[in-house]
């Protein structure tokens, strides 16, 4: 006898707790209760899946949304692009990014960091370093977590000079507490230029054959 609003609140809490399996169970209970999931229901489910690193499931849920007549918005595309990018699945991150652009949506400020994380996790340290440099040149302030990641990048590359510089930058950032409002509008266009100039050369076939075929068939990649 729970209302859809109550179910949505539970789904939202699942996202905060990264409880993807619980969110999936709740979503099925919504359907079994004879209720029709709305946009908020799907968004809360996608957020829980995204936070839990279930990027393939995010893609299938988005496909289900479209079949139900819902339209993907900028925040949902952010889950898709950033999820695949952070996992190092650059092929699909690029494909969803292009699809997002063709529908008129701009990238969020988190896209740089997502791709940098993905490049680090897949051992493409030079790519992570290049994009980190581009991010700073575009006037965006890296997060403390991203600085920690870049410290690991330079340690692995044994680049002592760069390691010292990034440590100093992190300390300076923490002392000055920069305004969190970033030059987002300018960075959107610059990110698109970097994307076209740097990422296009990647030709990654990541994921299992079944997962790749499913995404390619559903989204016509």
């Amino acid at each position: 006898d729970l209302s859809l609003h109550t179910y949505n609140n539970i789904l939202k809490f699942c996202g905060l707790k990264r409880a993807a399996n619980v969110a999936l169970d709740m979503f099925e209970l919504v359907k079994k209760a004879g209720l029709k999931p709305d946009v908020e229901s799907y968004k809360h489910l996608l957020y829980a899946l995204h936070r839990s690193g279930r990027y393939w499931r995010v893609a299938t849920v988005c496909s289900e949304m479209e079949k139900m007549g819902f339209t993907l918005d900028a925040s949902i595309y952010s889950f898709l692009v950033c999820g695949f990018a952070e996992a190092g699945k650059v092929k699909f991150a690029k494909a969803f990014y292009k699809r997002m652009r063709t529908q008129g949506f701009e990238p969020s400020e988190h896209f740089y960091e997502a791709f940098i994380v993905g490049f680090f996790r897949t051992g493409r340290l030079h790519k992570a370093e290049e994009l980190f440099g581009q991010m700073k040149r575009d006037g965006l302030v890296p997060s403390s977590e991203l600085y920690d990641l870049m410290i690991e990048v330079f340690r692995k590359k044994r680049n002592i000079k760069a390691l010292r510089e990034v440590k100093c930058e992190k300390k300076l950032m923490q002392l000055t507490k920069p305004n969190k409002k970033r030059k987002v509008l300018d960075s959107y266009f610059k990110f698109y230029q970097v994307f076209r100039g740097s990422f296009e050369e990647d030709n990654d076939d990541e994921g299992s054959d079944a997962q790749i075929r499913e995404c390619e068939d559903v989204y016509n990649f």
Side-chain angles (χ1 to χ4, degrees):
D1 296 328
L2 298 179
S3 67
L4 181 60
H5 177 71
T6 302
Y7 277 112
N8 283 349
N9 282 336
I10 297 172
L11 286 167
K12 182 178 180 179
F13 187 73
C14 289
L16 296 174
K17 291 295 184 179
R18 304 188 184 193
N21 290 334
V22 179
L24 289 167
D25 290 341
M26 284 294 107
F27 199 78
E28 288 304 312
L29 285 176
V30 171
K31 296 177 181 178
K32 289 179 180 178
L35 301 171
K36 185 178 179 180
D38 61 9
V39 173
E40 291 304 310
S41 307
Y42 276 105
K43 281 190 175 182
H44 292 321
L45 174 61
L46 288 169
Y47 182 63
L49 293 170
H50 171 72
R51 293 259 294 167
S52 303
R54 303 279 290 276
Y55 45 89
W56 290 111
R57 195 61 185 270
V58 168
T60 57
V61 171
C62 287
S63 174
E64 177 187 326
M65 273 190 77
E66 293 184 300
K67 289 177 182 176
M68 296 297 293
F70 295 102
T71 301
L72 306 187
D73 62 17
S75 64
I76 294 175
Y77 272 113
S78 179
F79 293 149
L80 281 166
V81 177
C82 292
F84 277 101
E86 288 171 3
K89 313 301 182 184
V90 179
K91 172 182 177 180
F92 291 102
K94 290 192 301 182
F96 282 118
Y97 178 78
K98 290 178 180 178
R99 193 169 187 261
M100 180 190 79
R101 290 286 299 179
T102 60
Q103 296 188 17
F105 296 118
E106 300 289 353
S108 75
E109 60 189 272
H110 304 295
F111 278 40
Y112 272 109
E113 296 194 13
F115 275 95
I116 291 171
V117 170
F119 288 139
F120 172 75
R121 288 177 176 172
T122 55
R124 286 174 278 187
L125 303 182
H126 67 289
K127 288 272 191 179
E129 181 180 359
E130 287 175 5
L131 198 54
F132 181 71
Q134 185 65 49
M135 181 181 183
K136 292 193 296 180
R137 287 192 294 274
D138 289 346
L140 296 178
V141 181
S143 65
S144 179
E145 293 78 12
L146 185 59
Y147 270 116
D148 289 338
L149 184 143
M150 291 309 301
I151 288 172
E152 290 302 311
V153 168
F154 292 124
R155 277 178 180 163
K156 287 179 178 292
K157 295 187 71 175
R158 298 182 180 180
N159 188 334
I160 304 301
K161 181 181 178 181
L163 179 60
R164 288 174 179 170
E165 289 177 356
V166 80
K167 283 184 176 181
C168 288
E169 288 175 11
K170 181 185 176 183
K171 287 181 180 179
L172 184 61
M173 179 200 71
Q174 292 172 333
L175 290 172
T176 56
K177 295 181 180 179
N179 189 339
K180 290 186 178 180
K181 185 177 180 181
R182 304 175 180 183
K183 300 176 181 178
V184 178
L185 292 178
D186 288 341
S187 73
Y188 289 161
F189 180 66
K190 290 177 181 178
F191 179 87
Y192 184 58
Q193 290 179 315
V194 173
F195 177 89
R196 294 195 63 179
S198 178
F199 301 163
E200 290 286 342
E201 64 195 51
D202 289 307
N203 185 23
D204 305 290
D205 290 319
E206 302 116 335
S208 69
D209 291 341
Q211 289 170 325
I212 290 173
R213 282 197 300 271
E214 182 178 3
C215 260
E216 289 177 336
D217 290 343
V218 171
Y219 293 101
N220 297 317
F221 291 165

